[in-house]
Amino acid sequence: EIVMTQTPLSSPVTLGQPASISCRSSQSLVHSDGNTYLSWLQQRPGQSPRLLIYKISNRFSGVPDRFSGSGAGTDFTLKISRVEAEDVGVYYCMQATQFPHLYTFGQGTKLEIK
Amino acid sequence: QVQLVQSGAEVKKPGASVKVSCKTSGYTFTIYHIHWVRQAPGQSLEWMGWVSAGNGDTKYSQRFQGRVTLTRDTSANTAYMELSSLRSEDTAVYYCAIPAPGTGGFGYWGQGTLVTVSS
């Protein structure tokens, strides 16, 4: 099983300032088809998770461009260029490279406003 | 638009079973696998398995193998998750989700169903 490790687990940020979350996988997420199935999800308080970024760096429909993803192999990063109040919540990375057999999530990073 | 609407909260005793439904709309039901993910209080997300809405094939996480059964009813555009031999550690919100095409990510989620296991 691929283990996903996120840092930090908590991130206090000032409104308007950038934020960055890291995610490391225990093995390469490059699939045999050449894609890297690493996603980022946002879960606002009391809500269901929401897909933000897929295949490392692609924004899902309706996601603001202040969200961006980068990385390769085993190391990935989610960046928010200027944090807004609505960005408060928990962010998860998820790997689907082992599909259709197994999907795993990081522990989550709680983003809060200072 | 794609919608996944789940059944309401449940309270069960240890050893009992629970069955949660996920009614879908806004797309051709048989195209996608329907996945189930759970989240214990204050914890991360945990993938449980998927059911093919097209042919009913299933794949389960080893952690739940033998205790979870995923089914679907194509006439009702609805998927089901049944978890047996419940214990207190199964207290969680259970979500259904479907992949966004070509992304490898879960683009659409149900609202979640809280299952509480308590004597």
Side-chain angles (χ1 to χ4, degrees):
Chain A
E1 174 181 327
I2 298 177
V3 176
M4 308 296 288
T5 303
Q6 291 182 227
T7 54
L9 298 184
S10 177
S11 180
V13 182
T14 302
L15 286 174
Q17 294 300 301
S20 180
I21 300 169
S22 294
C23 176
R24 175 167 290 179
S25 59
S26 60
Q27 56 188 273
S28 173
L29 296 187
V30 180
H31 192 270
S32 56
D33 67 6
N35 289 303
T36 300
Y37 294 104
L38 185 282
S39 302
W40 290 95
L41 301 101
Q42 174 196 61
Q43 187 173 33
R44 291 170 172 153
Q47 294 188 13
S48 301
R50 167 198 179 198
L51 180 62
L52 293 177
I53 302 285
Y54 64 92
K55 287 193 282 188
I56 301 177
S57 59
N58 299 276
R59 277 187 300 277
F60 190 53
S61 174
V63 175
D65 60 9
R66 64 179 181 276
F67 291 94
S68 64
S70 62
T74 61
D75 288 284
F76 307 94
T77 302
L78 173 71
K79 292 184 178 176
I80 309 173
S81 57
R82 294 173 304 281
V83 170
E84 298 188 3
E86 66 179 17
D87 300 335
V88 165
V90 182
Y91 291 78
Y92 297 96
C93 58
M94 185 195 90
Q95 70 80 20
T97 288
Q98 290 183 303
F99 83 91
H101 305 295
L102 185 62
Y103 302 73
T104 50
F105 297 87
Q107 320 97 298
T109 295
K110 187 173 184 178
L111 184 76
E112 49 197 5
I113 306 301
K114 276 184 189 173
Chain B
Q1 72 281 21
V2 176
Q3 284 195 308
L4 287 70
V5 179
Q6 299 182 223
S7 49
E10 303 262 12
V11 179
K12 296 292 182 181
K13 293 195 182 304
S17 297
V18 68
K19 191 169 186 177
V20 178
S21 67
C22 172
K23 183 168 178 59
T24 73
S25 60
Y27 73 101
T28 302
F29 179 72
T30 51
I31 287 180
Y32 301 122
H33 291 3
I34 296 176
H35 296 251
W36 290 86
V37 175
R38 81 175 187 181
Q39 185 172 39
Q43 301 299 308
S44 182
L45 301 159
E46 183 174 28
W47 179 77
M48 300 178 69
W50 55 255
V51 56
S52 166
N55 63 12
D57 284 352
T58 55
K59 182 68 181 182
Y60 302 124
S61 166
Q62 279 195 329
R63 181 165 149 74
F64 298 99
Q65 191 85 37
R67 277 210 307 145
V68 68
T69 304
L70 303 181
T71 57
R72 93 283 187 240
D73 178 350
T74 55
S75 66
N77 289 351
T78 300
Y80 302 91
M81 185 283 299
E82 184 169 21
L83 188 63
S84 61
S85 303
L86 290 169
R87 32 203 189 236
S88 58
E89 309 89 88
D90 294 317
T91 294
V93 176
Y94 290 77
Y95 294 99
C96 58
I98 61 171
T103 69
F106 296 139
Y108 307 95
W109 293 72
Q111 84 276 19
T113 297
L114 174 61
V115 175
T116 302
V117 183
S118 174
S119 54

